[in-house]
Amino acid sequence: MTIAVSPDAHPTLVLNADYRPLSYYPLSLWSWQDAIKAVFLDRVNIVSEYEAAVRSPSFEMKLPSVVSLKTYIKPARHPAFTRFNVFLRDRFECQYCGTREDLTFDHLIPRSKGGLTLWDNVITACSPCNLRKANKSCREIDMWPRQMPFRPTVQDLHNNGRLFPPNYLHESWLDFLYWDTELEP
Ligand SMILES: [Zn+2]
């Protein structure tokens, strides 16, 4: 499992005013066009640059690879409820059998019985387990998740995120990220 980032696009890593990424999931990346716009609007400082540059007859500017906001934005304590973040909380493992193949979502309390699509009722499940459980409760079919679903903090996802780095990280980003391959176990 990797997060797709294209190096050819020269994406800009966006840091908060404290030099931490504005967001990890997804990683806060802007297009270089948006980054340059923000430079001219005086909203960001350039922290690091690519070799590549934009040129016109009267102007040349290296593409920013890292920028930091001039004004600190208070980070959210709880991450957004997204499919990706549910997978990440569950480490991309079926919570019934542990496989990482063919993953989908299961409602612990089935929707047909009033179960809601919320952090504490949605878990990662592979298609076969999902089919087997169908619209039964855990008790009815005696299938129990390895970990009861919960609303994670940003820190919880950071801890799991170490295991799933994006497919591409520009070297100038590494000082600001914890996805350092040398730290991997
Ligand atoms: Zn399964």
Side-chain angles (χ1 to χ4, degrees):
M1 173 63 212
T2 55
I3 301 160
V5 178
S6 164
D8 300 336
H10 294 99
T12 306
L13 175 66
V14 184
L15 306 177
N16 209 335
D18 65 354
Y19 284 71
R20 292 181 186 196
L22 200 52
S23 127
Y24 286 95
Y25 309 105
L27 189 58
S28 44
L29 297 175
W30 287 349
S31 68
W32 62 262
Q33 291 93 334
D34 283 348
I36 286 178
K37 235 178 272 173
V39 169
F40 281 104
L41 291 172
D42 207 25
R43 290 188 183 144
V44 297
N45 294 310
I46 296 174
V47 178
S48 184
E49 297 170 323
Y50 287 107
E51 284 305 310
V54 274
R55 288 185 186 85
S56 75
S58 60
F59 169 85
E60 173 171 325
M61 183 178 178
K62 285 192 172 175
L63 304 183
S65 62
V66 182
V67 296
S68 65
L69 299 184
K70 292 196 170 182
T71 306
Y72 182 75
I73 293 179
K74 195 167 181 279
R77 199 173 109 72
H78 289 280
F81 179 63
T82 63
R83 299 164 71 87
F84 180 85
N85 284 343
V86 171
F87 280 156
L88 187 58
R89 179 199 64 189
D90 297 341
R91 297 180 171 218
F92 295 90
E93 287 171 0
C94 172
Q95 293 300 294
Y96 296 114
C97 73
T99 185
R100 291 187 165 174
E101 306 290 317
D102 200 6
L103 294 180
T104 173
F105 299 98
D106 179 55
H107 286 73
L108 210 56
I109 300 167
R111 271 185 292 190
S112 62
K113 292 179 178 158
L116 300 175
T117 306
L118 294 173
W119 278 117
D120 59 4
N121 194 46
V122 173
I123 62 168
T124 304
C126 69
S127 289
C129 286
N130 207 342
L131 277 173
R132 195 153 73 84
K133 183 164 172 294
N135 58 354
K136 299 194 178 66
S137 69
C138 297
R139 199 178 302 276
E140 282 172 317
I141 194 161
D142 198 24
M143 278 174 75
W144 301 94
R146 302 172 165 205
Q147 167 185 267
M148 291 307 277
F150 62 97
R151 185 188 187 200
T153 61
V154 167
Q155 190 59 46
D156 291 330
L157 294 194
H158 283 191
N159 294 342
N160 288 354
R162 295 179 70 103
L163 305 169
F164 306 100
N167 65 328
Y168 167 75
L169 295 171
H170 188 255
E171 58 188 24
S172 71
W173 301 355
L174 297 180
D175 288 342
F176 307 101
L177 301 174
Y178 51 83
W179 286 303
D180 184 336
T181 46
E182 286 170 28
L183 296 177
E184 300 259 313

